[in-house]
Amino acid sequence: MSDNSFFIQGLKEYGFDPTDEQIEKFIRYYDLIIEWNEKINLTAITEYKDVMIKHFLDSVSIIKAVDMSSVNSLIDIGTGAGFPGIPIKIMFPDIKITLLDSLKKRLNILDLIIDELNLKDIYTIHGRAEDIARDPKHREKYDLCVSRAVANLSTLSELCIPFVKPNGKFVSYKSEKADEELEKAKNAIRLLGGKVTSAVSFELEDNIRTLIVIDKTESTNKKYPRKAGTPGKEPL
Ligand code: SAM
């Protein structure tokens, strides 16, 4: 049995009071990621402590930037191995969570993991964000959109802000280069109906992490997102 005191301590420092069941879910999640990682590339980080800190604690650090009690629905764009969406689900079981990715193979594994961890009210969607954001079932339907390690902030804003309800939020998980990205993305964020309200920086295992919080102040113009691939090739 691994020593999880560093992880429990980390969660407590964020203000969580984790139950044994929540800790067990994280451990099981780790085991499943490592098991599946042999068959399909899910993560380059595989050491137990590294995954617990750099993937799990990092994912739930959202508590530092957003009042999660006001969030009922959340979408995670480019979720990969389930980050940050699955750790958020474990710590906030009442939030309805949607995990979106363009790679079906990864989502098939996430479906198995969701089942195995007995998580409820969490769904996977296969497709490109640019296409799914045009679907009325998903456009402007979420209180909160999150995304980590998917694209630069200008591109990401075009992929994410269309999913957010007016008065909702988009949070981008970034590193120490957040200021530079923010400067370049200002125009894109404004065009998409967003406004940067804060950038919360903190240290996680000697790495600077920054949560950029964007409030959606206006509905997104129907011309966004542009067709799949364009936000990446020609950021606004
Ligand atoms: N968010 C996870 C994390 O923090 O570990 C995964 C990051 S991984 C580097 C990027 C993921 O975004 C991949 O799984 C990829 O398939 C997905 N992705 C990239 N562009 C996308 C798009 N336009 N629509 C949907 N998914 C996308």
Side-chain angles (χ1 to χ4, degrees), residues 215-233:
D215 277 11
K216 181 142 172 182
T217 51
E218 284 168 45
S219 194
T220 302
N221 190 306
K222 286 198 167 56
K223 65 184 176 194
Y224 304 121
R226 292 165 295 165
K227 73 173 181 355
T230 306
K233 277 189 233 119

Side-chain angles (χ1 to χ4, degrees), residues 28-189:
R28 185 79 189 112
Y29 184 22
Y30 170 78
D31 289 341
L32 290 165
I33 291 171
I34 298 306
E35 193 180 314
W36 284 103
N37 208 34
E38 287 179 14
K39 301 187 181 74
I40 154 168
N41 177 23
L42 292 173
T43 173
I45 299 173
T46 54
E47 286 299 317
Y48 185 72
K49 197 168 176 186
D50 287 344
V51 172
M52 298 302 261
I53 294 174
K54 293 180 184 165
H55 283 325
F56 298 169
L57 274 183
D58 188 47
S59 293
V60 299
S61 68
I62 185 111
I63 195 174
K64 289 176 175 286
V66 176
D67 170 12
M68 297 298 276
S69 66
S70 63
V71 176
N72 294 309
S73 55
L74 175 155
I75 187 162
D76 177 6
I77 303 299
T79 190
F83 309 127
I86 290 183
I88 292 175
K89 182 71 198 179
I90 295 174
M91 292 317 295
F92 298 97
D94 295 336
I95 299 178
K96 175 181 176 181
I97 297 210
T98 303
L99 307 172
L100 182 145
D101 206 284
S102 54
L103 205 64
K104 181 75 176 139
K105 275 197 285 186
R106 290 208 179 109
L107 291 178
N108 290 341
I109 293 168
L110 292 189
D111 286 333
L112 294 170
I113 291 175
I114 287 168
D115 219 40
E116 189 75 23
L117 298 182
N118 200 20
L119 301 175
K120 305 291 178 211
D121 216 12
I122 177 165
Y123 309 91
T124 56
I125 306 183
H126 174 231
R128 304 251 333 201
E130 298 93 317
D131 299 324
I132 309 292
R134 296 194 165 274
D135 179 340
K137 288 207 292 288
H138 297 285
R139 189 176 182 88
E140 303 202 323
K141 289 291 185 291
Y142 297 89
D143 297 324
L144 177 62
C145 176
V146 293
S147 190
R148 195 187 80 149
V150 173
N152 68 65
L153 190 59
S154 312
T155 301
L156 201 57
S157 295
E158 190 169 351
L159 302 185
C160 290
I161 294 176
F163 286 97
V164 180
K165 288 178 186 169
N167 297 320
K169 291 180 196 301
F170 159 45
V171 174
S172 171
Y173 288 62
K174 292 287 181 188
S175 64
E176 79 272 28
K177 294 205 183 105
D179 280 357
E180 235 171 84
E181 285 209 35
L182 252 178
E183 201 45 48
K184 285 191 191 139
K186 264 189 186 156
N187 189 43
I189 295 168

